[in-house]
Amino acid sequence: MSPLILLFSLFLALAFAGSGIQRPTPNLCPDGVSHKRQKRHWIWNQMHIREEIDSPLPHHVGKIMSSMIRNSSAKYIIEGEYANTIFKVEESSGDVYAFERLDREKKAEYELTAHIIDRTNNKSLEDPSIFIIKVYDINDNSPVFVQKVFNGSVPEMSPVGTSVTKVTAVDADDPTVSGHATVKYQITKGRENFTIDNSGVIYTKEPNLDRETKSTYEVVVEAKDGLGFFGESSTATVIITLSDINDNFPVFKHPSFHFKVPENISVGGEVGRVKVEDIDEPQHRNTRYSFIQGEFRDTFDIEANPYTNEGIIRPKKPLDFETVAEYRFSIEATDPTVNLRHFKPGNPRSISTVTIQVTDVDEPPVFTKLPYEFKVRENHAEVKTLGSVHAEDPDAAKRKIRYMLRRASPNGDYIRVSNTGVIQLPKPLDREFSSSYNITVAAVEILEDDRLSDRESHAHVHVIVDDVNDNAPELVSPEEPRVCENAAPGKVIIRISAVDRDETSPRGFFRFFLDTEDSNFSLVENYDNTANITVKYGQFNRELAKFHYLPVLISDNGDPDLTSTSTLVISVCKCNERGDFTFCEERAKQVGVSIQALVAIFVCIFTIIVSFAVIVLLILLRKRHKKDLSGLGRNVAEIHEQLVTYDEEGGGEMDTTSYDVSVLNSVRKNGLKAEAAPCPYAQVQKPAGSTAPGAGGMEMMIEVKKDEADNDRDLLPYDTLHIYGYEGAESIAESLSSLGSGSSDSDIDYDFLNDWGPRFKMLAELYGSEPSQEFVY
């Protein structure tokens, strides 16, 4: 092949050189005389050079010349890429030389431009011409891998010849030259398990590559150019990972498992976990657990945790220490998704024994029946007990039980529960109030010291109240009935219906009928719990009656049969020709009073009666006190000196009219002495000679009065100084007191006060000419 390629290249060079020869063109003149001008032509050999020539520089590349230039002053010049640097031309001969060793892998060809000029005047002797210098390749490069490390993966246990990955190496030599860029691969490390072809694809060589034995392999691949002069090669590392498949069964970590659990564990709670070992990766662990031996397999369930692959044991029903204290059974672990084609020798089943010990706990009482339901007729006064609830202590202690009511619906004291669990009715139940009653009864154990346990259980009790026909039906009128005064017979006035608070009677509908037939109305049954009120004769007279009161009787067909009477008030109205109402009288509406309002009225009346009784009692007490005062035999003037409760100001020593001293003088003249009375206070002994000579009877009378005040046990202590009102001497203000006006010398007649009514009775008695002895203060 190489000699043929060289001959083909020479042929192309000759053709290219021939195409560059410029042929002369004849110059024809109009006179037929031909003046031929010989055209110049560039002549040079095909220029090429081999890369990496090891001979001394410079290396001759070729020669450029023109066939028509024979001038000794001609000068050759080259221009272009790398001209006069790598490539230079000999000016006179046109020989081109390379002054550096060329590398085809860096640059495969160079393009230059040739010029011929006259060195005397630098004028161009020939048109410029472009020529190319090609660099021939030699096989001087070894293959190089595109990366130093490659990664590959293949499932474990794959058959021989399974593709793993592909590696790539590149040779920089000319691929158009046969054998220069050919790369050969071979495995230098790991050839016992893997092979490689000339395209770089790696295949498995062994069929039983087990990930659980060895999961990663390191393979070294060499790339070599067999035809290269240097025989060099390069290497790359390939990391091959075996991916996991599900080819291993789970195995219990222990031959037996032992758990303890309290008996009050909830259904579905966790008893314990059994563990297995599966050497496959987590995504290929699909352990299934099952019971294979044991009579209590229906008591527990075992499920696999998808994250940990553990088996979780849970109870399927309540445990009871008193019934079964220990459970023992065998379980099996297997994986149904294992690929049997790659099944390894060994037992596909793993078996372990499980022992569950139930521990005793203090459990709350257990009701023997749930739920409880009782029935009772409404308003049945003779029924006091509905039944009872019963609970037992499930533990060996068998303690006594006390029952309590926890919740009730509707709320209220309608149903009671005794300490022994008896359901009692304190009063008859009314179905119309509630058709059913629900209560929650708690059962609590009584401990040895009569304390109640803090653990209790609950039972739901449902009481159904059977209906008794104890409510008569009630009339339902959708609107106030009206009739035209000229209504024709048979005209429907209104459709009435009824409701009953009791349950609907199974014997039929309500029955409607009128209380009397002596009316201008009739009643027609519809047999659907409604009836029509129609006009019987027609032609109503509004002048005689604007309203008609129609009693309607309604029976409920119950047992017993109850009947109610309701009155329809039918208004007689004026109507137009079309029968439309034009004018109706407004009936006075009856105002009802609610029970709450009646209670409030009764409370107000009671309060008024009590207040009136208190006032009368006070008046009687005042009258009795008045009689006690009248028994003293004192006149009104004597009372003046006893009115010490007035906070009067007084007129001073110059006021001789405000205080009647005649009473004091009468005492002195009559020689009255104060009655001696036992006094709890010590008697004040007046020192002898304390009375000033000439003081007279007034001073002695004052002393007597002071002694009476001091020894009076009903008055305030003797040192209380609010009895005497003393303003001071020589006051310019006149007295404001009216205590002594009754005995003054005033000529004013106060009898007119008697005509002013009872409000001025007191003033009339004080200031009148004849004071009344009934005066009460």
Side-chain angles (χ1 to χ4, degrees):
M1 291 296 293
S2 299
L4 292 177
I5 294 175
L6 292 175
L7 290 175
F8 182 71
S9 300
L10 181 61
F11 175 76
L12 291 177
L14 292 175
F16 181 75
S19 63
I21 300 176
Q22 300 181 4
R23 301 180 182 276
T25 302
N27 187 9
L28 299 178
C29 297
D31 55 1
V33 181
S34 174
H35 300 282
K36 296 183 178 178
R37 180 179 181 272
Q38 190 174 7
K39 185 173 178 62
R40 298 168 182 172
H41 296 279
W42 284 101
I43 300 175
W44 59 77
N45 297 327
Q46 174 67 34
M47 292 191 183
H48 59 273
I49 185 173
R50 184 169 57 87
E51 65 172 336
E52 303 292 348
I53 300 175
D54 55 357
S55 59
L57 296 172
H59 299 152
H60 185 267
V61 178
K63 185 180 181 67
I64 58 174
M65 61 178 294
S66 176
S67 60
M68 304 305 293
I69 299 300
R70 296 291 183 266
N71 190 350
S72 60
S73 62
K75 180 181 179 180
Y76 293 92
I77 300 174
I78 60 173
E79 292 180 350
E81 188 178 15
Y82 301 105
N84 301 319
T85 55
I86 295 178
F87 301 100
K88 294 181 180 179
V89 63
E90 209 284 323
E91 295 180 353
S92 58
S93 63
D95 292 319
V96 180
Y97 296 90
F99 286 80
E100 291 183 9
R101 287 183 174 85
L102 302 180
D103 187 358
R104 193 202 67 84
E105 284 71 38
K106 292 182 179 179
K107 192 170 181 64
E109 61 181 26
Y110 299 86
E111 184 179 283
L112 300 174
T113 302
H115 297 269
I116 301 178
I117 62 174
D118 190 344
R119 68 177 68 243
T120 58
N121 55 14
N122 290 330
K123 290 185 179 179
S124 178
L125 300 177
E126 187 68 78
D127 293 334
S129 178
I130 297 174
F131 65 94
I132 295 175
I133 301 176
K134 291 186 177 182
V135 181
Y136 284 167
D137 179 52
I138 63 173
N139 195 1
D140 59 344
N141 291 278
S142 61
V144 178
F145 284 98
V146 295
Q147 59 191 61
K148 286 296 183 180
V149 179
F150 293 86
N151 293 287
S153 176
V154 63
E156 63 173 331
M157 312 301 289
S158 296
V160 175
T162 302
S163 175
V164 178
T165 187
K166 183 178 181 180
V167 296
T168 302
V170 178
D171 193 337
D173 291 325
D174 190 356
T176 62
V177 181
S178 176
H180 282 201
T182 302
V183 180
K184 292 185 178 181
Y185 300 94
Q186 66 178 1
I187 294 178
T188 61
K189 179 182 177 181
R191 65 180 62 184
E192 65 275 7
N193 295 315
F194 301 95
T195 61
I196 189 170
D197 60 9
N198 291 331
S199 64
V201 178
I202 299 176
Y203 301 92
T204 59
K205 187 178 180 181
E206 290 293 329
N208 296 322
L209 298 178
D210 189 2
R211 187 197 68 87
E212 287 73 32
T213 303
K214 186 177 181 180
S215 61
T216 304
Y217 293 85
E218 182 177 309
V219 177
V220 177
V221 179
E222 180 185 53
K224 188 175 182 181
D225 185 355
L227 300 179
F229 292 103
F230 306 101
E232 295 180 355
S233 63
S234 62
T235 60
T237 301
V238 182
I239 305 299
I240 299 176
T241 303
L242 298 183
S243 59
D244 184 53
I245 64 173
N246 192 4
D247 59 343
N248 293 280
F249 287 96
V251 178
F252 282 108
K253 290 186 176 181
H254 305 285
S256 63
F257 296 89
H258 188 272
F259 304 103
K260 284 186 178 181
V261 61
E263 63 175 336
N264 61 346
I265 184 173
S266 61
V267 175
E270 182 176 329
V271 174
R273 299 191 177 197
V274 294
K275 297 182 179 180
V276 297
E277 183 179 8
D278 190 341
I279 59 178
D280 289 325
E281 291 186 351
Q283 68 270 19
H284 293 140
R285 298 171 185 170
N286 300 305
T287 304
R288 296 293 181 268
Y289 298 90
S290 59
F291 298 93
I292 58 174
Q293 287 181 350
E295 55 181 317
F296 299 107
R297 291 178 294 173
D298 59 340
T299 307
F300 297 95
D301 187 18
I302 182 169
E303 60 181 17
N305 188 314
Y307 303 102
T308 63
N309 210 33
E310 298 172 321
I312 304 175
I313 301 176
R314 304 180 188 274
K316 296 167 62 176
K317 58 185 180 180
L319 306 181
D320 189 5
F321 171 80
E322 287 74 23
T323 304
V324 179
E326 185 178 272
Y327 298 87
R328 186 185 298 270
F329 45 82
S330 297
I331 59 175
E332 175 190 69
T334 186
D335 189 347
T337 61
V338 170
N339 192 339
L340 298 180
R341 291 186 305 167
H342 309 295
F343 173 65
K344 300 174 184 178
N347 192 350
R349 301 168 58 192
S350 180
I351 299 175
S352 180
T353 302
V354 177
T355 302
I356 300 176
Q357 183 180 353
V358 181
T359 59
D360 188 24
V361 296
D362 186 12
E363 297 177 279
V366 177
F367 283 94
T368 57
K369 177 184 176 182
L370 288 175
Y372 292 88
E373 183 175 289
F374 302 99
K375 290 186 178 182
V376 62
R377 294 181 63 188
E378 68 170 325
N379 300 324
H380 203 309
E382 297 179 359
V383 177
K384 300 296 183 181
T385 302
L386 295 179
S388 61
V389 296
H390 181 69
E392 295 179 353
D393 183 8
D395 300 320
K398 300 300 180 183
R399 298 187 180 97
K400 294 182 179 180
I401 308 299
R402 179 174 296 176
Y403 303 90
M404 292 173 287
L405 178 64
R406 287 302 187 207
R407 288 180 293 274
S409 176
N411 192 17
D413 187 22
Y414 302 106
I415 300 177
R416 297 176 184 174
V417 179
S418 68
N419 292 338
T420 59
V422 178
I423 310 299
Q424 301 171 341
L425 294 181
K427 58 183 178 180
L429 301 180
D430 186 6
R431 195 203 68 87
E432 283 68 44
F433 174 75
S434 179
S435 60
S436 64
Y437 295 80
N438 296 282
I439 63 173
T440 301
V441 180
V444 185
E445 296 178 4
I446 303 176
L447 303 179
E448 287 73 10
D449 53 357
D450 291 337
R451 292 184 300 106
L452 296 180
S453 173
D454 56 353
R455 301 177 63 82
E456 63 181 42
S457 56
H458 300 90
H460 178 70
V461 179
H462 182 58
V463 179
I464 300 175
V465 183
D466 292 334
D467 184 46
V468 174
N469 192 23
D470 57 348
N471 292 278
E474 300 175 359
L475 179 66
V476 176
S477 178
E479 58 185 6
E480 190 169 336
R482 296 181 297 178
V483 63
C484 295
E485 61 179 343
N486 57 352
K491 173 68 175 178
V492 177
I493 300 174
I494 191 173
R495 171 173 288 190
I496 60 175
S497 61
V499 294
D500 195 338
R501 297 176 60 191
D502 296 320
E503 293 181 356
T504 303
S505 172
R507 296 192 297 175
F509 300 102
F510 296 122
R511 291 185 295 110
F512 301 87
F513 48 90
L514 297 180
D515 187 26
T516 178
E517 297 295 334
D518 297 335
S519 66
N520 198 7
F521 302 97
S522 59
L523 185 145
V524 180
E525 288 268 10
N526 295 324
Y527 301 102
D528 59 353
N529 282 338
T530 63
N532 293 336
I533 304 298
T534 61
V535 178
K536 189 174 184 179
Y537 304 113
Q539 298 301 323
F540 294 92
N541 190 348
R542 295 185 71 256
E543 302 299 330
L544 297 179
K546 295 182 177 60
F547 301 97
H548 291 267
Y549 298 88
L550 182 65
V552 179
L553 281 70
I554 309 173
S555 175
D556 60 4
N557 270 329
D559 186 16
D561 192 348
L562 297 181
T563 303
S564 66
T565 302
S566 301
T567 301
L568 279 176
V569 181
I570 303 175
S571 302
V572 180
C573 304
K574 294 181 179 180
C575 300
N576 54 21
E577 296 178 354
R578 297 188 302 273
D580 300 331
F581 298 108
T582 58
F583 178 76
C584 296
E585 296 288 342
E586 289 291 337
R587 182 170 62 92
K589 296 183 179 180
Q590 297 179 355
V591 180
V593 180
S594 63
I595 296 177
Q596 294 82 353
L598 291 176
V599 172
I601 293 173
F602 288 147
V603 170
C604 294
I605 293 174
F606 178 75
T607 304
I608 294 173
I609 293 174
V610 172
S611 302
F612 181 76
V614 171
I615 294 173
V616 171
L617 181 60
L618 291 176
I619 293 175
L620 293 176
L621 291 176
R622 292 174 66 88
K623 286 185 177 181
R624 182 177 179 182
H625 187 59
K626 176 197 66 174
K627 292 180 180 180
D628 293 340
L629 291 178
S630 62
L632 296 176
R634 301 174 182 176
N635 55 20
V636 177
E638 291 177 335
I639 296 175
H640 290 177
E641 65 181 357
Q642 304 298 330
L643 299 179
V644 298
T645 58
Y646 286 90
D647 192 11
E648 69 173 29
E649 186 176 340
E653 294 182 355
M654 301 303 295
D655 187 5
T656 58
T657 61
S658 299
Y659 193 82
D660 191 359
V661 299
S662 60
V663 177
L664 299 178
N665 292 330
S666 63
V667 174
R668 180 178 61 83
K669 293 178 181 180
N670 296 330
L672 296 177
K673 295 182 179 180
E675 297 180 357
C679 180
Y681 304 103
Q683 298 290 333
V684 180
Q685 300 295 332
K686 300 295 187 292
S690 62
T691 303
M698 177 61 70
E699 184 176 0
M700 183 180 65
M701 184 58 192
I702 293 174
E703 291 295 333
V704 171
K705 291 296 183 182
K706 288 171 61 180
D707 290 340
E708 291 179 356
D710 291 340
N711 296 304
D712 191 351
R713 63 190 301 175
D714 296 327
L715 297 179
L716 297 173
Y718 65 90
D719 56 350
T720 301
L721 300 178
H722 73 283
I723 299 176
Y724 303 97
Y726 180 72
E727 182 180 353
E730 299 295 333
S731 175
I732 61 175
E734 296 183 356
S735 175
L736 301 177
S737 175
S738 61
L739 296 177
S741 59
S743 59
S744 64
D745 297 332
S746 174
D747 56 351
I748 299 177
D749 186 7
Y750 294 96
D751 291 339
F752 65 92
L753 295 174
N754 295 319
D755 300 330
W756 284 15
R759 292 187 178 182
F760 297 89
K761 180 179 179 182
M762 183 67 70
L763 292 177
E765 292 177 350
L766 289 174
Y767 296 98
S769 58
E770 295 181 0
S772 174
Q773 295 296 329
E774 299 295 327
F775 170 70
V776 178
Y777 67 94

